[in-house]
Amino acid sequence: MKLPDEIEIDSAPIFDLGDRVRVLKLIRNDGTFPGKNIGERLAEKGDIGYIIGIGTYLQRAYVYSVHFLESNQVVGCLSRELEKTEELVPLIAQADW
């Protein structure tokens, strides 16, 4: 995995917990995903998931734990592999409490 020259963690994370995100490229196991073979597909381009955790990698980049509901997997992704998507509009209007 090649990281950019800039140190991403000098700034705040791009995504927040609970953000709905889309994968911009195929994500394969680089050997860090337990129970899957190296090179096995973890997320397809266009898959939708939610940020459930934010960590760091080599004190340079943020790693976002993304829960993909369709596959029920949590995959670590870099910010360059994700884009924020629009929030879902509720099907039923919420009444004021």
Side-chain angles (χ1 to χ4, degrees):
M1 167 186 330
K2 179 154 174 35
L3 295 174
D5 291 333
E6 73 179 61
I7 298 177
E8 184 181 5
I9 64 171
D10 284 345
S11 302
I14 295 171
F15 304 107
D16 292 318
L17 294 177
D19 281 354
R20 185 174 188 252
V21 294
R22 176 182 296 116
V23 176
L24 297 174
K25 61 177 243 164
L26 172 69
I27 306 292
R28 294 182 181 272
N29 184 14
D30 61 1
T32 59
F33 194 94
K36 301 274 185 177
N37 293 324
I38 293 176
E40 194 168 339
R41 294 174 180 212
L42 300 175
E44 300 285 337
K45 180 179 179 179
D47 283 356
I48 302 291
Y50 293 87
I51 305 291
I52 63 165
I54 303 172
T56 60
Y57 177 69
L58 294 177
Q59 298 179 346
R60 296 187 58 87
Y62 288 108
V63 176
Y64 298 92
S65 298
V66 181
H67 183 205
F68 295 99
L69 299 179
E70 284 190 29
S71 64
N72 196 29
Q73 292 189 123
V74 176
V75 179
C77 299
L78 299 173
S79 60
R80 67 177 183 225
E81 299 170 326
L82 302 170
E83 70 179 354
K84 191 170 179 179
T85 64
E86 66 286 343
E87 294 299 321
L88 295 176
V89 178
L91 295 176
I92 299 172
Q94 298 285 328
D96 290 331
W97 292 84

